[in-house]
Amino acid sequence: MNTKINGYNTIREMLEDEERSYLSPFAALSAESRGRKREEKQDEVRPVFQRDRDRIVHCKSFRRMKHKTQVFLAPEGDHYRTRLTHTLEVSQIARTIAKALRMNESLTEAIALGHDLGHTPYGHSGEAVLNRLCSTGFIHSEQSVRICEVLEKGGKGLNLTAEVLDGIRNHRTSGHPATREGQIVRLSDKIAYLNHDIDDAIRAGLLTEEDLPHSYREILGFNVHDRLSTLINDVIYNSIGSSEIIMSPDIEEAMQALRGWMFKHVYIGGKAKEEETKAVKMIEMLFDFYMKNPDAMTHEYTELIDSGETRERAVCDYISGMTDNYAVEKFQEIFVPVGWKY
């Protein structure tokens, strides 16, 4: 285009300049991105992190998250969180924090929307099975990066920027994101799942608000709304002017203690996990079957093996990409006999 917009050659250049003038000195600037593994022509309208956000939203792995377990395995009801709704809540929290701190919202949103692309069917239960069965291990954050770099778009990957990939890879508790935006997502993930898992557990009748330890409720709040406000505001006010995204010690300690309580009463020992043994056995049997019969996988995954990928990694790619329903469907197709028809 030859027409200049407010003196700029493209809208993208205008938006990049606005970032320079408005964003915090600690924010990641789109124009200063470390770039992509494969160099591409710049978009005329969208800065690089916005393009990454759009690529994630339009990819197949993102859509499949709507049928993947968050915590409740095969819940009956329309209002329980799935991996997709969890992702959207993380994104909303992360953008709220990023906007208040004048960080790069597009980068923050891209990391948030992509952080769980690599999750297995049946949540962390499925992840633990594949991690045990695969000789090189399986970690959902690394699988999310693998999806973005290799598996999407017929083996071409999404070719995302280094900053987005870093944030996705390092969103776990043990991670150390290189950008403040990645640090925001890392904390937002914990804030989101702690509060929505409490909400889902209350809705399911597994616990009541009053069952939560009173000492933690006194610090964080006496309902989900108040706890979200406490945690989000604490991150914002303690991170203003700081080179790191942090929480106050008292609030962080209370959040971690409540998280530990949830592990004991819901994540590990609660009724929400009653179907876990079945899900684990199903994934074990699927893994064993596809290791012995790789040609039974769809062509994208057999092509991975043909191109030099190990069989067990391709099998992990295939199974981890399944939705809960598809895993059950394939299990029934392989292992459950059907009546003879004539």
Side-chain angles (χ1 to χ4, degrees), residues 41 116 124 129 205 215 301 318 321 329:
K41 181 182 178 182
D116 269 356
H124 289 286
V129 176
S215 58
Y301 302 95
Y318 184 44
E329 179 184 323

Side-chain angles (χ1 to χ4, degrees), residues 29 38 44 67 80 87 107 131 147 174 212 222 283 300 327:
L29 299 178
R38 299 191 306 275
E44 291 189 355
H67 293 303
Y80 296 99
T87 293
L107 173 57
N131 187 50
I147 284 170
S174 59
L212 301 176
F222 289 91
I283 293 175
E300 303 102 300

Side-chain angles (χ1 to χ4, degrees), residues 104-116:
N104 194 311
E105 284 187 65
S106 292
L107 173 57
T108 304
E109 187 175 22
I111 295 169
L113 294 176
H115 82 281
D116 269 356

